[in-house]
Amino acid sequence: MRGNSDHDRIGNAIAEEQQFLDQAIQRRDQLAEHLRAELDTDVSDALERARHRMLRRQHEELLRAQDGLVFGRLDALDGTVRHVGRIGIQDEDQGDEPLLLDWRAPAARPFYTATAIDPQGLARRRHIRTTGSVVAGVDDEPLDGTAPSELVGEGALLAALGQRRTGRMSTAISTLQREQDDIIRAGASGPLIVQGGPGTGKTVVALHRVAYLLFTHRQMADQAVLVLGPSPRFLEYIAQVLPALGETAVVAATCDTLLPGVQASRDESREIAEIKGRALWQPAIESYVKALLPQPRDLRLRWEGEFYVIPAATVAQALASAVPGRAYHRARSVFTEQIHSLLAEAVAEQRAALLEEMEHGYEDILARFDRGTKPGAAHTSSSDVDGLLSEEEIDELRERIAENEPIARFIESWWPTRDAGQTLRDLLSDPALLAGCAPTLSPGEISAVAGDAGGAWSSSDIPLLDAVADLLGAAAVPGAVTGVPGAVTGVPGAVAAGEKLGGFIADQARGRRDWVYGHVVVDEAQELSEMQWQMVLRRCPSRSITAVGDIDQAEAAHRHTTWAQAVRAAFGERWTAAELTICYRTPREVMELTGPVLEKAGSRNTPPRAVRSSGIEPWQRTVTIDEVAGITQELRSRWSVGVIAPAARIGELQAVLGDVPVLTATQVKGLEWDATLLIDPEGIAAEPRGWNGLYVALTRCTQELGQLIIA
């Protein structure tokens, strides 16, 4: 009887939630149709266009809110019932209480933070599982202390974690945990560095934080948000998460792809990568670009057959007013305008002097003539007309000078425009310049850098090139490193014609090296060099930055082993630390293997605590290379599978496995599969920072881990 009672209760709950879901879908469609009609009207002024942009954003959110429109319900102790969903939906009566709470709204926060110990005025939390427009199940969680749990919505969470992986990350707005929600809703006024071990949901937190910030701080959508990931494969893995959350004002990139039109296509040694990643390059490049500025001297300019000299002291004054606080090419532009004015004034002054000289000579002639005439005879002096140029005539002269090609060539020869790429190559290839600009480099390091210069760009060159392009300014690499200025303005009519507003802004930002973002998220942040952090700062001078990562998974060539070491050069002491402590992905059976690996990696952190068990013990076999394919196929018949191996074995394994991708420990950062097949773990451990890499490789699975030793 009890079973039937539970079955009836669940059935009634599903029917109840189905009725609400139908109501929410109907209201969503009604609002979308109303907004569509509003957007079809013509606009004639700036205020109406601004209103249309806001309406278009709302319309896009409604259209994207398909799956999981409603996923939660909060039952308060006072009998109030609120539903939580992907977006907020206002009821038809337009009352104070919405029909559906947006998950990012403050009123929805108890859905993620209430516990039996701290119920926050709630009697029950309900998780609602839907498939399209159908309610598939409910999971009730009493908050009266009768069923205490360390997890929020334990049943729904474990059910989600137990699902098979598809190769793409999905949203987690219905199963976020309290410590994750605290970070998602944290303030955005400065750098937030989030330490989290494997499976703690770092990437989930980072992406949902983007959605929360864009919802809470609407102006960020006008500036776009930059999401930096470790690899193109990772960006593909997370690509659909933010669009599914209704956010498109987002640019996804790696540090290697941040410069439009520039690619990192050359391999380099870890030694060179470590040297070029150091913070010393920022002042070194600043010193070098400053040395490229012209020094004051007399400037001898020709205008209409006459030579005019701008004295060195005057040139020095013009330089002193043009250079401070400006990039090389912007300072050059300001200085050029001043030279045009100075030359125009010199021409006007010389004309006035000549006229005055002529007038004195004419007066002498008149005086001699007057002595031979009758006293009192009248005459007209040229002084009655002074011959000086008017302000309008001087302005016209200045414009003619600005259009004069010989003068432009003279200034170009004295203060040349520069290409960012060539400027960097000149520095890197010259040991004497390196020694002068980067005195802390040893002779051996200078020799290594100079010997590596030239040819295609490497990954560690990109931050240096970015620094040079920033210091040179807009004329450095037209159309490539600095982008095309005209692309920023955009065409309002293009949006009105149907382009998605957020995507339109993201496209603008993506094409500009000098775009300033409203917020930057960095995933796998432990891999960034000090110079890559400088790239981040240039794109977000407000320092509204969220960086997530695991310092124990660092494999890059830099030497830092703590977050303080990693970010000190960029942020000093002005950053906030947060930590994710619970591992949701990796099962206990696998996490138990990580202790000795972390110890050998030199970790100073407590590993995350796994909250789930897969019931499958990790296994290890010794096999021949020919047996690997059969084992892989057997595993793939049950799970999604990731194959991880040392870099030196990738080629031979790929030949055996065919279309099954084989990745290094570095390439699998941030990825996950149901099962992972780890081949030659000792080979991974033997690689540079190999124990960190082995820690990464061990913790990619949600169900099963197999290790193969090649005989």
Side-chain angles (χ1 to χ4, degrees), residues 578-622:
E579 187 173 7
L580 294 166
T581 63
I582 301 174
C583 174
Y584 307 101
R585 176 187 68 216
T586 313
R588 292 191 191 97
E589 293 88 345
V590 174
M591 287 302 295
E592 288 173 357
L593 301 178
T594 62
V597 176
L598 280 174
E599 185 177 348
K600 292 177 180 178
S603 171
R604 306 178 188 180
N605 298 308
T606 302
R609 179 168 45 90
V611 296
R612 57 183 287 271
S613 170
S614 68
I616 305 173
E617 290 296 328
W619 49 269
Q620 186 176 99
R621 300 178 196 170
T622 300

Side-chain angles (χ1 to χ4, degrees), residues 71 84 103-104 108-114 125 127 141 150-154 156-157 160 170-185 200-209 211-212 241 245 580 584:
F71 57 78
V84 180
W103 69 275
R104 296 160 290 191
R109 192 171 191 191
F111 184 78
Y112 302 104
T113 58
R125 172 172 39 228
H127 288 262
E141 182 183 4
E150 64 177 329
L151 301 176
V152 173
E154 181 175 15
L157 174 64
S170 59
T171 64
I173 50 176
S174 62
T175 56
L176 293 172
Q177 298 299 293
R178 181 167 187 159
E179 70 174 10
Q180 295 174 325
D181 186 75
D182 287 343
I183 293 170
I184 287 170
R185 297 176 193 260
T200 54
K202 299 182 293 295
T203 301
V204 165
V205 167
L207 297 178
H208 287 70
R209 177 162 168 76
Y212 170 77
V241 175
L245 293 171
L580 294 166
Y584 307 101

Side-chain angles (χ1 to χ4, degrees), residues 522-529 533 547-550 558 560 563 566:
V522 185
D523 206 330
E524 300 294 342
Q526 74 278 357
E527 302 301 337
L528 266 63
S529 69
W533 279 115
V548 300
D550 181 4
H558 52 63
H560 59 248
W563 284 114

